[in-house]
Amino acid sequence: MTAKTLLSTHDLKARYGDFQALYGVDLDIAEGEVVALIGANGAGKSTLLKSIMGLIRVGADMVRLDGRPVGGSKPHQMVADGVAIVPEGRRLFAGMSVLDNLRVAVDHAAPGRGDAWTIERIHALFPILKEKQAVPVQSLSGGQQQMVAIGRALLNQPRLLLCDEISLGLAPKVVKEIYQSIPSISANGTAIVLVEQDVGLAKSASDRLYCMLEGRMTLTGRSAELSREAIGEAYFGASHAVA
Amino acid sequence: MQWLDGLVQGVLLGGLYAQYALGMALMFGVMRVVNITHGDLMILLALVGISLASTFSLGPWSVLVVLVALGGIIGIILQRLILNRVVGADPLPSLIATFGLSIALQNAMLQVWSADTRSLPSDGLAQASFQLGPLFVGVLPVIVLITATVLTAALAATMQYTRFGRSLRAAAADVEAAAMTGIDPKAVYAGATALAVGILGFAAVFQSMRSTVSPADGAFQLIYAFEAVIIGGMGSIWGAFIGAMVLGISQSIGFRIDPGFGILAGHLVFLTILALRPQGILGKG
């Protein structure tokens, strides 16, 4: 089965002022696919997601959605086109209730995608959010906040969900609970990019895996077929792998 | 008796200040944009209203409708042309940009309308009063207070329960996260500024019916609006209303202690609250 390519990047270069963070990155993801993106701190994983999402200015042809150039679109246009993000550090709307945080996403859901995700379905996925719906988000635990962030992104009705380090700073039990939601998200036909520092977790949760090092792609392949050695070499660079 | 009268008159004065403060609560309290032209825009709307009334012999209520619509349009233009370029975590750029605009506006108004004080004919409404027990109460101030209360309730409900209100609160909490959730921050801010300046249309009509306006008066309205928002608590719509009441009552009681002490009494109460409860009456933490 070869599914249609949903989103792809082509020789994507991005910079923060004088600092170049990405040196020509190619990535593609098919409809309904789960792709993991791993790499050390500073490898450019978050920068890549931000470039796709329109938070960093890139050339129009560097990002394509359904083959259409969308690089340099504004973030809200990307959401309208069916791309949503669970941002690094969650970035919830402090001072607003759990329910209002979710409603903001419902208000601005991608049009024409029906209501595959409803607040009721998010409550079924993460029951604690129903219990805490009237509570201000900042008083939730880290794991619960991550669930709100995921729920908020899903309520944008994405075709592609970008997850930036959703396990960061959470207890292993909570990480497990959150990763258990991944299959039911992709079962809905939503493609997922998982940015992850935990290689084992990334490998087991994904169909395919990309590894980045210093702003470049160093490895790509089917997650189940990649050896630990190959990943180690791509993750740390050849010199480290030998040592 | 004169203290009871002072209290009642203070609440009525607070109704007018609340109309200055509501837009400020939206822009300064929620969006964190310091808009120094707030008072000048109200004066501009008032002067336009007075000219319209005399040119087309419009009654005050027709002028009100025109000014609220005009205020909304001015708000959108202000946001699109100037404030969108300076909005952000740092309040200094918006302060400097609008400070410059304030001076330009005042001079432009002086050029067009001269320094004369003017007022809007009120069809006798400004002089009408009724007796409430031992007190005489003006009809116009009561209308002003009722209008302010309705505006406050409507704005607070808009913020709490509507799509626009949620978008604005989200953008105020984290503008980048709001954009990542599908909100176009510039459109939301333009809507908020349109609302803020539109509300000044009400203030402009009532201020120019109740007393007089001249091009350099804006600074007073600006200070009262800032003080009301800070007394009440940043980001709280009802807080701005309560802050306006506190300011109105303080000034009114102050005037009865000594006619020269009224305005100063308001500032002193403001400073006392800033020292003892810097987050404001309804402010959190």
Side-chain angles (χ1 to χ4, degrees), chain B residues 163-190:
Chain B
R163 180 184 196 266
F164 170 75
R166 280 192 292 273
S167 303
L168 183 56
R169 283 186 291 147
D174 184 338
V175 67
E176 202 177 63
M180 286 188 270
T181 313
I183 293 169
D184 179 359
K186 291 186 171 177
V188 172
Y189 284 161

Side-chain angles (χ1 to χ4, degrees), chain A residues 76 79 91 100 107-108 156, chain B residues 163 166-167 169 174 176:
Chain A
H76 69 270
V79 172
R91 307 283 292 267
D100 274 356
D107 291 337
H108 297 87
N156 275 150
Chain B
R163 180 184 196 266
R166 280 192 292 273
S167 303
R169 283 186 291 147
D174 184 338
E176 202 177 63

Side-chain angles (χ1 to χ4, degrees), chain A residues 122-157:
Chain A
I122 300 298
H123 285 162
L125 194 64
F126 303 120
I128 188 74
L129 298 189
K130 184 169 189 179
E131 203 177 300
K132 301 256 182 191
Q133 58 180 328
V135 173
V137 278
Q138 66 270 27
S139 64
L140 298 186
S141 71
Q144 292 163 353
Q145 289 190 16
Q146 193 61 266
M147 293 170 191
V148 178
I150 294 170
R152 183 179 66 181
L154 289 175
L155 287 166
N156 275 150
Q157 312 293 354

Side-chain angles (χ1 to χ4, degrees), chain B residues 58-66 123 125 140 143 147 205-206 209:
Chain B
L58 295 177
W61 307 121
S62 319
V63 171
L64 177 69
V65 173
V66 175
D123 299 342
L125 198 60
L140 182 62
I143 294 174
T147 309
V205 168
F206 290 125
M209 271 162 81

